[in-house]
Structures are given as structure tokens and as C-alpha cells.
Amino acid sequence: MCGIVGYIGNRESQPILLEGLKKLEYRGYDSAGIAVFTEQGLEITKTVGRLANLEGRLSGDPLRGTVGIGHTRWATHGKPSDVNSHPHTDNTLKFSVVHNGIIENYLELKEELMHKGHRFLSETDTEVISHLIAVEYEGDIVKAVQRAVSKMRGAFALGVLTEYEPDKLVAVRYASPLIIGVGEGEKYIASDIPAILEHTRDIYILNDGEMAVLTRDSVQLMTIEGNLISKEMFHVDWDLMTAEKGGFDHFMLKEIHEQPKAYRDTMRGRMSEDGRSVVLPELKMTPDMLRGFKRVHIVACGTAMHAGLVGKTVIEQLARVPVETDVASEYRYRSPIITPDTLVIVVSQSGETADTLAALREAQRCGARVLAITNVVGSSVAREADDVIITLAGPEIAVASTKAYTSQLIAFYLFGLYWAQANGTKNEAEIAHILAAMESLPEQVEKILAQAEVLKGVAESISRHSSLFFIGRGIDYAVALEGSLKLKEISYIHSEAYAAGELKHGTLALIEEGVPVIALMTQEELYEKMLSNIKETKARGAHVLGIINEGSEGETAKSVDRQFAIPRTLPILTPALSVVPLQLLSYYASLALGHDVDKPRNLAKSVTVE
Ligand code: F6R
């Protein structure tokens, strides 16, 4: 996720901007830049790579001035490169913009501007914003920004400067966080508190649809329509470490809570405006090519593989194409049968996992077209695949994957629906129905998160056991596998995930008095069968926690010891909700046992060896 810092005051801005960007480094980025008002006017220095590269460029040729904006970029539109880095400017070089978020209609806007003679240097959506503001400028930067913003759809946090009004810094927030820092004779903007914590603890937190006009001595707050507002100042008493984690105790907990945003960001711009179809303009393969694929191999590792297991059901049910799934480390050694009509889908948060990359190369060597679902633009997997769907989870720092996994699920839903459109296996009304349910997922996750305390209690009792079981049927089984992996990796408690109907073929022997069993029971068609399987475990003394759909509490209470209800959604979408309580259970179990939640033993975030 990108980082923004801005400064207007009486001190040199360059060191303040660079220090601020350094404080955001933990979030991950691929390029960086700053724009400063110097005696020559608005000057920009930016470069791909680490902040050290930017510092290197600036050391010989510093930008001297007391007003500036800075940015660290995590690529979404266009690869990481010097020219795609922020800040961006317009053809007159009089305006400069830093931006976090995504402008959904940037291609439309760009085309209009190109007709008017504008030339664009980058592949980014942000460059369009600086041009748009320049077009709208009639002597008042605040009005120009408001008019420009009214034409934009999507998510944006903006910092805007213009050479015409060098004593103003304009900030806008819409669905991407932005704060204003208040100091004596100086003001700041930032995407996150750590960037400015060294200078001030007094901040205004902008809400969606609000903007601020900063001078050295004032902060004017208003809506993006121009209505003045007032708000309470927030005094931050966090230390730097807590601020980096957004006030959460661990990155994992922060990332679990970021899932509603990750869902919204991954869906944004990928549904038609009327909500009746999926649009995936990033795909190079045409609907005709898609219709030509007769089978699919989904290949990935670990948690990404578990997302692939959900993806299998999604593609099979929606597009009616048969899917095989493989762990990447096995795939290329089993001589997979890859025909010209096989589509290989690789899934990888980092895009750098050695086994996944090797599987991708093997598939391409055998003539397959490869679609990658990855979270990192410019990663090896993203560069080498023939088609890419980027998940917009933002950088994931905790080793245990949470928001990346659920964003992969969203990517599978979108792709499955897109394929169903092409194949005609779902009609427009059915697609609209599923999309509407998907749009409710973020709010439904928020409801689950609000009940975290309940799960904390359950996790504490689980943490006293040395072994437990996750069971489920159908798509619930895929989620059981992910729940079990999450628990193992951060709490070090042994657990196994079983297809519930399979228990009686051997594993039931391990169930004895008091063994915890977590039963996923979200699939109505399989509910009765699940009840029978639960009875088999209870008869041997198991202590069962049921993960159920809201509304079935009364019925299920007779069969389980405890239950946790998730909001109702369509059966195929339940994994996007049912995994959240399992993530929280693992987190709290690890916490209860005093483990290093974010950096579990023996594990690395990105596994670049085979
Ligand atoms: C578990 C986890 C791992 C990764 C796996 C693949 O929480 O994060 O199982 O999912 O190492 O990593 P990526 O997705 O980066 O290819």
C-alpha cells in the first residue's frame, strides 16, 4: 500500500518528507519520490527502488524549500518504474499530486484528456488526476480539486500542490486513509500516523468525502462539495511501534481487520456500474479464448493453495469447467497432463514463491497459458504469467496470511463469474444476485470482527489442548484446511483438517474425551450429514464448536457444545466469512500461549527456495 507524507511550514521539507517516508517503509513499497517548491518552482525527484536510491539522487541535488509532498508507491496500475512513481504532474508542470487508491474510471478520463491534446508519460491512474486538476484550475486550487474529484470514481487519498498557490497544501480523502497533523506554524498530511509522529501528536482524521486546505498557520476542513466542517482533534498517545500497527497489538490482527477494505479494493472497478456483470480489463485473454479452455489446473503453496481449493469449487460451479488443484512443489514432478486447452492458474501473495514460479514455468514450457492471481505487481509471477489478476490486499507483513487469502477468494469469485458470463452458464440475473451478495461481504466481515472477544475466550480454552480437529464438507472442508494451517503455524498446536465424512475411515480413533473439534456447518445441503459426523465425534467425547449460519442457532444448539454464527450469505461465498473466526481463534490461541504471533518459528514470509 502506498504511503503519503506532506509538509508546509518554515523548515526545510526534504528531510521531513524523507524521514516520514522511512517511517512508512515497514508497509512495503517499490518506488518513492518527493515534490518541493524550490526557488525554481515545483520540482520533482522520484525513482524506482528503495528510499536509499531516492536519497542518493537527492544528495547531489537536494530540493530546497519549505513546502512539499512525498510518496512511497506499491504498484497497482503500471509496473514499478521511475516514470510510474509519484509525485505526478501535468503538461504545464505547475501541479503535483500524490495519490493512494485506485481511480476506476481513469481510462475514460485519460482518453478525454488525450483528445484535448494532453500527453501522458506514465501508465498510472494518478497522472490523470494531476492533468484533471490542471484543466479545472481557474485561479482557485481548492475549487479545481473539488471539480476534478467530482469526476473521479474509486478510492483516493490525495496530496496536491500548485505552483500558482505555493502557500497551500490540499488534502482529500475518499475510501483511502489520510490524516492531518497540526504543529506550531507547520502542518502535515500523512497516510498513516507513524509518518508524522515525531513532529506532532495532534491530528485530524479525515473521513470519506472530506478534504483539508493547509497553510502554515491554519487547517480548513470541508466536505469535497465545499461545505465547511469542524471536527475534534485527536491526540495520539501511541508509541511508534503501536502506531505502525494502527493501534493493534500485532500486524496479524491489523491485517485481519483490514479485510473489509481488502475486499472492497479487490472488487472495486471489477463490477459493471449497474452491478450486473464482471469486468476484468486487465485480462489479455479474450472471452473467446476463455471459452476454449476445457480444463483448469490451480497450482499454489500453503494458504494460497487453500484459496485455490475454494477456487476449484467456484470455477466448477459457476463456469462448469473441471478443475484440478495441486501443491506447486508436487506439480511439475508428476508429469501433469497439460493440453493446449488447459488453463493453469497460479496463486501467490508474494509472487516470488520458488515452487509456484517453477510450476508456472513448467506449465508454460508445456504450452499452457498461465493466469496469475497475486498481490504484488511487478513480482516474478506477475511478470512471467500471461494474464494477471492483482489482489488489492495491500502489503501483508505478518507471516500468517489472512487478508491476502481472503482477497484471493474474491479474485476467484470475480474470475469464476467472468468465465460464467463467457460460457453462458449463469444468466445476467444470477450474476447480479451473486455480485450483490459479494458487495455485502465487507460489512458482514465487520460484524464478525465486532465479536472478536467471544472468540478470544474460546481460543484460550483451545490453547490448553495439544491437538484438535477441523471438520467440514464441500467448500467448508477447504476452509477447514486453512483454519488448521493457521492454528498450527502460529500457536504450534497440532491440528488436522478432515473432510467430515472421512473421519470414520480411520481418524475417528484419535477422538477421545475433551478433544476440541471445530465443525464448519455453513452448507445447508450438507447440514444433515454434518450433524451425523458431529454426533460420531461427540459420542467419543469430543467438545465441538460449530461455525454456523446466523439463524440456525436454535437447531444446532442441540448438537454442539458452542457455536459461532456468521452472517448469512450465498453458500458459495461463505468461505469469505467463515475463515475470519478461524483466523481470530488462531491469533488469540497464539497470544494466550505467548508466542511471537507475527513471526512464528521456522517460517518466512516469502519462501524463495524450493
Ligand atoms: C501461511 C502462508 C503460507 C503461504 C505460502 C505461499 O499463512 O502464508 O502458507 O501462503 O508460503 O506464499 P505465497 O502466497 O507468497 O506464494
Side-chain angles (χ1 to χ4, degrees):
M1 230 174 312
C2 310
I4 288 180
V5 187
Y7 175 75
I8 180 163
N10 297 307
R11 295 186 281 158
E12 278 300 320
S13 60
Q14 177 180 305
I16 294 172
L17 298 174
L18 288 175
E19 276 309 310
L21 293 178
K22 271 189 207 159
K23 296 281 174 7
L24 302 180
E25 267 193 308
Y26 69 96
R27 298 151 49 92
Y29 65 101
D30 49 54
S31 43
I34 62 169
V36 173
F37 282 126
T38 69
E39 280 180 358
Q40 280 69 47
L42 199 47
E43 286 193 83
I44 299 176
T45 301
K46 54 186 188 174
T47 170
V48 71
R50 310 299 301 166
L51 273 167
N53 298 6
L54 180 65
E55 284 179 312
R57 286 209 185 171
L58 288 166
S59 65
D61 192 9
L63 300 186
R64 295 195 195 285
T66 58
V67 181
I69 48 180
H71 192 265
T72 42
R73 175 171 186 254
W74 165 270
T76 54
H77 289 77
K79 60 184 179 300
S81 69
D82 285 1
V83 75
N84 284 339
S85 312
H86 300 211
H88 285 280
T89 185
D90 68 307
N91 290 150
T92 66
L93 310 179
K94 300 289 187 200
F95 297 84
S96 188
V97 173
V98 286
H99 164 222
N100 286 359
I102 302 154
I103 307 302
E104 287 168 21
N105 58 336
Y106 84 103
L107 282 175
E108 244 167 74
L109 295 169
K110 191 171 179 172
E111 252 168 53
E112 276 172 34
L113 289 161
M114 282 166 81
H115 277 304
K116 290 185 188 155
H118 288 249
R119 282 166 295 104
F120 289 89
L121 305 175
S122 78
E123 302 158 277
T124 65
D125 49 347
T126 307
E127 194 182 5
V128 175
I129 307 174
S130 39
H131 283 248
L132 206 55
I133 294 173
V135 168
E136 296 295 341
Y137 190 73
E138 290 170 359
D140 182 341
I141 186 60
V142 179
K143 291 214 162 65
V145 169
Q146 285 165 349
R147 281 194 290 267
V149 159
S150 72
K151 299 197 164 142
M152 290 159 29
R153 279 201 318 272
F156 39 86
L158 303 176
V160 183
L161 295 177
T162 175
E163 212 176 283
Y164 296 123
E165 297 176 56
D167 296 318
K168 272 185 199 152
L169 168 51
V170 179
V172 185
R173 171 188 167 140
Y174 195 88
S176 230
L178 200 68
I179 57 160
I180 310 297
V182 180
E184 200 47 51
E186 50 187 18
K187 307 289 174 280
Y188 306 82
I189 63 168
S191 53
D192 295 79
I193 293 171
I196 58 172
L197 202 55
E198 190 185 326
H199 305 291
T200 179
R201 289 178 171 271
D202 292 327
I203 63 166
Y204 291 114
I205 300 174
L206 291 186
N207 290 327
D208 287 348
E210 293 178 352
M211 61 184 290
V213 184
L214 281 61
T215 66
R216 288 176 177 82
D217 297 312
S218 68
V219 176
Q220 196 175 36
L221 299 168
M222 60 186 82
T223 64
I224 50 179
E225 291 82 25
N227 303 317
L228 293 183
I229 51 171
S230 60
K231 58 170 66 212
E232 243 175 73
M233 200 180 273
F234 176 63
H235 184 78
V236 185
D237 47 20
W238 301 336
D239 59 21
L240 187 61
M241 283 296 282
T242 313
E244 282 184 354
K245 292 173 194 143
F248 291 98
D249 289 340
H250 296 93
F251 283 113
M252 182 180 175
L253 192 58
K254 174 172 180 261
E255 287 160 7
I256 290 173
H257 279 81
E258 281 171 349
Q259 289 179 114
K261 178 172 181 341
Y263 286 24
R264 289 189 183 105
D265 287 348
T266 303
M267 286 189 266
R268 180 166 291 118
R270 288 169 168 162
M271 294 182 188
S272 62
E273 263 186 79
D274 63 5
R276 301 189 73 77
S277 61
V278 173
V279 279
L280 293 173
E282 62 267 60
L283 291 186
K284 289 186 225 136
M285 66 171 111
T286 60
D288 246 354
M289 288 163 80
L290 200 50
R291 276 189 285 273
F293 295 118
K294 296 297 173 227
R295 53 173 150 176
V296 180
H297 293 173
I298 299 179
V299 189
C301 303
T303 286
M305 172 61 202
H306 294 155
L309 288 172
V310 175
K312 171 183 164 70
T313 306
V314 169
I315 292 174
E316 289 186 343
Q317 284 193 13
L318 298 179
R320 304 305 295 157
V321 182
V323 182
E324 283 177 49
T325 51
D326 262 287
V327 279
S329 54
E330 292 293 322
Y331 186 65
R332 64 193 177 123
Y333 301 109
R334 71 163 178 93
S335 306
I337 300 169
I338 299 173
T339 50
D341 59 6
T342 307
L343 174 67
V344 175
I345 304 180
V346 296
V347 190
S348 174
Q349 186 284 127
S350 62
E352 299 297 345
T353 302
D355 286 320
T356 309
L357 196 54
L360 178 160
R361 289 176 181 156
E362 175 65 7
Q364 283 179 333
R365 196 187 63 77
C366 297
R369 190 173 180 102
V370 177
L371 162 69
I373 295 179
T374 180
N375 200 33
V376 183
V377 178
S379 61
S380 305
V381 161
R383 278 185 279 115
E384 295 190 26
D386 303 288
D387 290 282
V388 184
I389 297 179
I390 294 291
T391 49
L392 288 136
E396 196 177 55
I397 293 166
V399 165
S401 183
T402 52
K403 62 176 182 170
Y405 166 81
T406 42
S407 305
Q408 287 158 0
L409 301 187
I410 300 294
F412 271 117
Y413 293 133
L414 290 168
F415 182 63
L417 286 168
Y418 185 75
W419 204 343
Q421 277 165 207
N423 281 0
T425 42
K426 291 279 169 207
N427 64 33
E428 201 188 67
E430 289 168 320
I431 288 173
H433 182 58
I434 300 175
L435 288 177
M438 283 174 68
E439 284 192 295
S440 303
L441 289 172
E443 235 172 84
Q444 294 180 315
V445 171
E446 274 154 14
K447 275 194 185 168
I448 297 174
L449 295 173
Q451 297 176 68
E453 279 301 309
V454 178
L455 294 160
K456 192 173 178 184
V458 181
E460 278 162 8
S461 68
I462 282 176
S463 71
R464 292 191 282 274
H465 291 265
S466 56
S467 184
L468 73 146
F469 293 84
F470 288 80
I471 58 172
R473 284 174 167 259
I475 210 166
D476 276 346
Y477 171 48
V479 179
L481 284 162
E482 175 55 11
S484 171
L485 177 65
K486 215 81 310 166
L487 187 77
K488 276 182 276 214
E489 66 177 321
I490 57 169
S491 74
Y492 318 147
I493 299 172
H494 169 257
S495 81
E496 290 194 34
Y498 255 80
E502 183 67 8
L503 271 184
K504 57 184 173 296
H505 297 289
T507 310
L508 202 54
L510 293 176
I511 305 286
E512 54 186 9
E513 198 56 44
V515 168
V517 170
I518 298 178
L520 287 119
M521 311 168 68
T522 71
Q523 302 300 296
E524 248 137 62
E525 296 186 357
L526 300 164
Y527 182 77
E528 297 291 328
K529 299 267 177 235
M530 270 307 288
L531 287 184
S532 311
N533 299 138
I534 288 169
K535 280 200 186 103
E536 289 159 11
T537 67
K538 284 213 55 76
R540 274 94 191 161
H543 193 271
V544 179
L545 166 70
I547 306 291
I548 61 161
N549 291 324
E550 230 167 46
S552 59
E553 290 89 339
E555 181 58 30
T556 317
K558 298 174 215 151
S559 310
V560 300
D561 300 284
R562 298 189 74 152
Q563 43 188 342
F564 183 88
I566 58 164
R568 276 201 182 259
T569 184
L570 301 175
I572 202 169
L573 300 181
T574 53
L577 300 179
S578 59
V579 76
V580 179
L582 306 189
Q583 295 168 341
L584 287 165
L585 278 178
S586 307
Y587 171 78
Y588 287 119
S590 173
L591 202 64
L593 291 164
H595 298 318
D596 187 343
V597 178
D598 286 334
K599 292 199 184 88
R601 70 186 183 198
N602 310 343
L603 300 175
K605 184 67 187 159
S606 182
V607 186
T608 52
V609 290
E610 280 189 52

